[in-house]
Each structure stands twice: as C-alpha cells, then as structure tokens.
C-alpha cells in the first residue's frame, strides 16, 4: 500500500519540467532580447539581458516546483540562441536555432507516422506517466497519427515563415512570428492531441469493460459447469446406503 501511494504521488515529467507555466515563462527571454536590442541598439546588451531573464525565470520556477530541471531548460535554449547571435554578430542569429529546430521537429513527427510510432501519442503518454497499451489498437494509432500530422504542420509552418523573415533581416517581425506561431499554434496541435487522447481513452475503456464482462461471463459458465459435473455427495451417500440395505435384505 505504501509503495503504491508513493508511486501515485510521483510528479509527471511535465510537472518536473515546470508545467504549463514553465512553458509560458520560457517565451519571456525572447521579448526581453528584442526590446533591449531595439531600445539600446546593442547586441551584447540584448544577449546579456535575455540570459539574465532566463536565469531569473529558471530559478523562480525551480523554487516553485522544487526541482532544478525548469532552471536548466529555461537557460539552455536561450543560451544556445544567445551563443549563435554572438558568433554571427547579428541580432537575427538569436532566432536561428529555433528556426532549424522547427524543421527537425517537424521531420521527426512526420517520420514517426511512417514508423507507426506517432509522437503525439508517445510524448503524451510519457509526459503523463501512462503506458503504451494504445499501440495495440489500430484505430487509436490512426487518431494519434492525425494529431501527430497536425504537430508536423505547425513546425513546418514555423520554419517556412520564420526562415523567410530571417532571410529578409526582419528581426522585429521574427520575434512577433516566434511568439504568434508559438503557443497559439501549439494550442491547436494540443487540441488535436486531446481529441485523440479522449477517443483513445474512450475506446480503451470500452475494450476493458468488454474484457471484464467476458471474464465474468466465463467465470459464471465455469462455475455452472463445475456444479453440473460435481456430484451431490449427500445424494450419492443416500443411494449407496439404500443399495446396501437392499442387498442386506436379500
């Protein structure tokens, strides 16, 4: 009982990463970078400000969530973006990592559909600590394929638009596109995933209920057959006693 309770109380991977609030806070360093770069006209000041805000956000999330993982994830992406901006010497370099990240993610989601391991289902079950029993149901895999394809479209759309803005040196619009095509489009993909999850849960629950009903029916049939095949010992004893008395009389 104690081990089961402990297992139930363990946080999911999503909670360890800072939850939804952690995901939202991760966009703030981008805003800080663009504002400082526009106001100060100084790339190094913008880089330092973005990194500082990422560290502060990471520490706050670590304190609130009780784990250092949000701090690491908050600083890691911004650190890479800032490093690329520093090496290229251009403010637009800050967005280059995210642009290529989109094409990699989009390709991975598309490939997972081909391999019959749709990432929408795999990631959802992983983040929420569920098993992968859904993979045994073809209809559920198809639903997750649809959700995964929506995710792929989101990432490819980000890449196409932001890559074009990058080539046009539109740093301000890159920031707008980064934010506008971030959580709003992600919300659409999440809706598609929730749709698939609900259909999967409903289907799997119906299958479990059907299996339980079948098991109960088989148990009743087995007991009935056992009752029919098992002789009534009292009745058998009476028959034997009667035959014995009849023989003794003879």
């Amino acid at each position: 009982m104690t081990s089961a309770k402990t297992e139930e109380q363990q946080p999911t991977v999503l909670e360890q990463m800072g939850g939804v609030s952690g995901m939202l806070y991760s966009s703030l360093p981008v805003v800080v970078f663009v504002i400082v770069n526009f106001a100060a006209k100084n790339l190094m000041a913008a880089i330092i400000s973005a990194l500082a805000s990422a560290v502060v956000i990471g520490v706050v999330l670590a304190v609130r969530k009780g784990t250092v993982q949000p701090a690491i994830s908050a600083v890691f992406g911004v650190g890479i973006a800032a490093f690329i901006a520093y090496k290229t010497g251009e403010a637009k370099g800050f967005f280059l990592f995210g642009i290529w990240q989109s094409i990699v993610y989009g390709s991975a989601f598309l490939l997972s559909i081909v391999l019959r391991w749709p990432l929408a289902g795999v990631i959802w079950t992983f983040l929420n600590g569920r098993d992968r029993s859904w993979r045994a149901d073809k209809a559920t895999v198809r639903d997750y394929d649809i959700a995964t394809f929506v995710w792929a479209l989101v990432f490819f759309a980000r890449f196409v638009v932001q890559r074009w803005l990058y080539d046009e040196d539109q740093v301000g619009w890159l920031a707008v596109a980064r934010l506008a095509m971030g959580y709003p489009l992600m919300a659409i993909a999440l809706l598609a995933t929730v749709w698939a999850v609900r259909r999967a849960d409903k289907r799997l629950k119906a299958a479990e209920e059907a299996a339980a009903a079948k098991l109960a029916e088989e148990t009743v049939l087995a007991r009935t057959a056992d009752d029919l095949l098992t002789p009534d010992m009292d009745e058998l004893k009476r028959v034997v006693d009667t035959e014995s008395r009849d023989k003794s009389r003879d």
Side-chain angles (χ1 to χ4, degrees):
M1 179 68 71
T2 306
S3 60
K5 264 187 179 179
T6 305
E7 187 175 348
E8 288 177 1
Q9 292 173 353
Q10 289 180 347
T12 64
V13 177
L14 180 60
E15 292 171 339
Q16 293 176 26
M17 291 171 62
V20 177
S21 60
M23 295 170 61
L24 291 173
Y25 290 145
S26 65
S27 63
L28 294 180
V30 177
V31 178
V32 171
F33 176 84
V34 174
I35 292 175
V36 174
N37 183 69
F38 178 78
K41 305 296 182 184
N42 188 305
L43 178 60
M44 187 56 64
I47 290 174
I48 294 173
S49 299
L51 285 172
S53 64
V55 171
V56 171
I57 291 169
V59 171
V60 170
L61 288 175
V63 171
R64 287 181 56 190
K65 304 297 179 179
T67 173
V68 296
Q69 193 166 344
I72 296 173
S73 59
V75 176
F76 182 71
V78 178
I80 293 178
F83 176 76
I84 295 174
Y86 173 75
K87 294 298 289 184
T88 59
E90 297 179 310
K92 68 178 185 178
F94 186 83
F95 300 93
L96 195 57
F97 177 70
I99 291 172
W100 288 106
Q101 194 177 43
S102 293
I103 194 67
V104 171
Y105 285 171
S107 300
F109 272 79
L110 206 57
L111 180 62
S112 72
I113 297 175
V114 177
L115 298 178
R116 309 306 297 154
W117 277 83
L119 281 176
V122 173
I123 294 174
W124 179 273
T125 51
F126 177 69
L127 291 180
N128 291 277
R130 299 186 183 182
D131 58 37
R132 296 175 183 172
S133 57
W134 56 270
R135 293 202 68 251
D137 184 66
K138 291 183 178 180
T140 299
V141 173
R142 182 195 63 227
D143 291 340
Y144 279 125
D145 281 342
I146 295 173
T148 300
F149 186 69
V150 174
W151 278 101
L153 288 178
V154 166
F155 288 119
F156 286 135
R158 287 181 183 175
F159 174 78
V160 170
V161 173
Q162 294 177 33
R163 179 65 191 186
W164 176 74
L165 291 171
Y166 179 88
D167 291 337
E168 295 294 321
D169 295 326
Q170 298 292 331
V171 178
W173 284 109
L174 263 174
V176 172
R178 171 81 171 265
L179 299 177
M181 302 185 76
Y183 294 115
L185 289 186
M186 187 181 290
I188 295 174
L190 282 173
L191 285 176
T193 304
V194 170
W195 168 82
V197 168
R198 287 181 176 176
R199 284 172 61 90
D201 286 348
K202 185 178 180 181
R203 193 179 292 111
L204 292 175
K205 184 179 179 181
E208 289 175 359
E209 290 176 351
K214 185 177 180 181
L215 180 62
E217 183 181 351
E218 290 176 351
T219 302
V220 171
L221 290 174
R223 287 178 179 175
T224 303
D226 186 60
D227 290 341
L228 291 173
L229 294 175
T230 303
D232 189 333
M233 299 306 296
D234 292 336
E235 182 64 25
L236 184 61
K237 184 178 179 182
R238 283 196 294 271
V239 171
V240 172
D241 290 342
T242 302
E243 289 180 354
S244 298
R245 284 196 298 270
D246 290 342
K247 286 181 180 180
S248 62
R249 288 173 185 172
D250 295 339

